[in-house]
Amino acid sequence: MTGIIGTCSFSFRLLSLCGLKLKILVVFGLLFLALSPVIELYLVKLLADFILSAGEVLSDMQKLFSVAQILMLLVLVYTLRYLVKVGRVSFINHLMDGLQSRSGSVPAWLRAVLIEQVQIIAIFVQLLAMGAACFYISPFLGVSFCIAFLLFYFISNRLYLKQLVVQKKLRFNKVDTKHEVGNHKVYQRVRAQEISSAFGSFTAALLFFCLLGLVALDALVPVSALVGLFLVRLYNVTLGMFCGSAMRMARALAYVELPDILDSVKGR
């Protein structure tokens, strides 16, 4: 069975159904996704600088400029989020239309698979940007980030593969009633999601202790420490989203055979 990354590569293979214009929009969408956490971290830095400079004598023009910068970045962050979310739905609709026209019939669960795959790809891009920010703050924090994420992915991927087997077994369960099977599906998915998310929180805690160690050794200035604290929090929240998408994708994949879909498209 293919892991999370291998499964998500299915969406990239379907890019052959897209025109050049949509491919360029996809590239810009990935760029926006990478910029989003970076802009948020820079926004935190500006807020920290503004708060820490409260005791300093600043002119009204300087204060006004700082507030204008913060407001502008807030608008930019939410605009990027809106554009990426709307673009993500349009991209999936285009893929579904292309598959429908080429293969004739598309499994109903495929849309759910594509939604989660695109979400996971977006999360990977954002985590990559967070890792780069960690290296910018401190090389030690960057290395710690990479180790923490690799540990998380190893555990999450194993839980995903196990969940995929469980969901496929439940799909063909003819012993229990439909209601009982439905309860088991939801229970198993949520259980795997929470276990994976808990381990993600554990790796975030490791990053937090690394950050505290750097602060204790006076290796970080106060503003960088505050930005790092927000980054750890953002990392933890992002991993929670990753766990939810991965386990929902496993449930949807119990009803979809991706190799068969690729074969049908190539055959046309």
Side-chain angles (χ1 to χ4, degrees):
M1 285 183 293
T2 309
I4 296 174
I5 293 178
T7 304
C8 290
S9 66
F10 174 78
S11 295
F12 283 109
R13 295 177 190 176
L14 293 181
L15 279 175
S16 59
L17 303 177
C18 304
L20 179 61
K21 182 179 178 181
L22 189 59
K23 289 178 181 177
I24 293 174
L25 290 176
V26 169
V27 172
F28 276 104
L30 293 176
L31 178 62
F32 288 161
L33 285 168
L35 284 176
S36 181
V38 174
I39 294 174
E40 288 186 53
L41 291 172
Y42 184 65
L43 179 60
V44 172
K45 180 183 181 300
L46 288 180
L47 285 169
D49 286 335
F50 186 72
I51 293 171
L52 293 175
S53 64
E56 300 178 8
V57 179
L58 297 176
S59 65
D60 292 339
M61 185 60 67
Q62 287 176 313
K63 292 178 182 179
L64 185 61
F65 180 72
S66 296
V67 173
Q69 270 189 308
I70 293 170
L71 291 176
M72 182 186 68
L73 286 176
L74 279 173
V75 172
L76 181 60
V77 166
Y78 287 109
T79 301
L80 285 178
R81 287 181 182 177
Y82 169 79
L83 292 175
V84 168
K85 287 182 179 179
V86 172
R88 187 185 307 166
V89 174
S90 299
F91 174 63
I92 292 172
N93 287 341
H94 185 87
L95 291 182
M96 292 294 292
D97 292 341
L99 287 170
Q100 185 72 39
S101 63
R102 292 201 179 196
S103 62
S105 61
V106 178
W109 280 92
L110 180 59
R111 182 180 293 275
V113 172
L114 290 176
I115 288 173
E116 302 307 336
Q117 284 188 354
V118 173
Q119 175 71 3
I120 290 171
I121 292 170
I123 290 171
F124 271 124
V125 172
Q126 290 181 328
L127 286 170
L128 184 64
M130 290 180 208
C134 282
F135 275 104
Y136 179 79
I137 293 172
S138 167
F140 177 76
L141 187 63
V143 172
S144 302
F145 180 94
C146 292
I147 294 173
F149 176 71
L150 288 175
L151 287 173
F152 162 78
Y153 180 78
F154 176 76
I155 298 298
S156 182
N157 192 58
R158 288 181 64 88
L159 288 169
Y160 161 78
L161 292 173
K162 183 179 179 181
Q163 185 61 203
L164 188 56
V165 173
V166 170
Q167 292 293 333
K168 286 188 176 181
K169 286 183 178 179
L170 288 172
R171 176 190 174 186
F172 297 105
N173 186 339
K174 304 300 181 182
V175 178
D176 298 325
T177 64
K178 187 176 181 179
H179 175 72
E180 290 174 333
V181 171
N183 287 342
H184 287 313
K185 287 179 181 178
V186 175
Y187 172 78
Q188 291 295 335
R189 177 179 62 79
V190 173
R191 178 175 176 271
Q193 175 182 332
E194 292 304 317
I195 292 174
S196 180
S197 182
F199 190 78
S201 296
F202 171 73
T203 62
L206 292 179
L207 274 180
F208 176 70
F209 285 120
C210 290
L211 187 64
L212 286 182
L214 291 172
V215 172
L217 295 172
D218 293 328
L220 293 177
V221 296
V223 173
S224 295
L226 288 173
V227 172
L229 184 62
F230 179 81
L231 194 152
V232 171
R233 172 61 181 165
L234 186 61
Y235 166 80
N236 190 27
V237 172
T238 305
L239 291 191
M241 295 166 56
F242 178 90
C243 296
S245 291
M247 299 312 161
R248 286 192 297 269
M249 183 172 69
R251 182 187 179 188
L253 281 172
Y255 300 89
V256 178
E257 295 295 336
L258 297 184
D260 293 343
I261 295 173
L262 284 175
D263 292 339
S264 66
V265 172
K266 291 178 181 178
R268 302 278 173 144

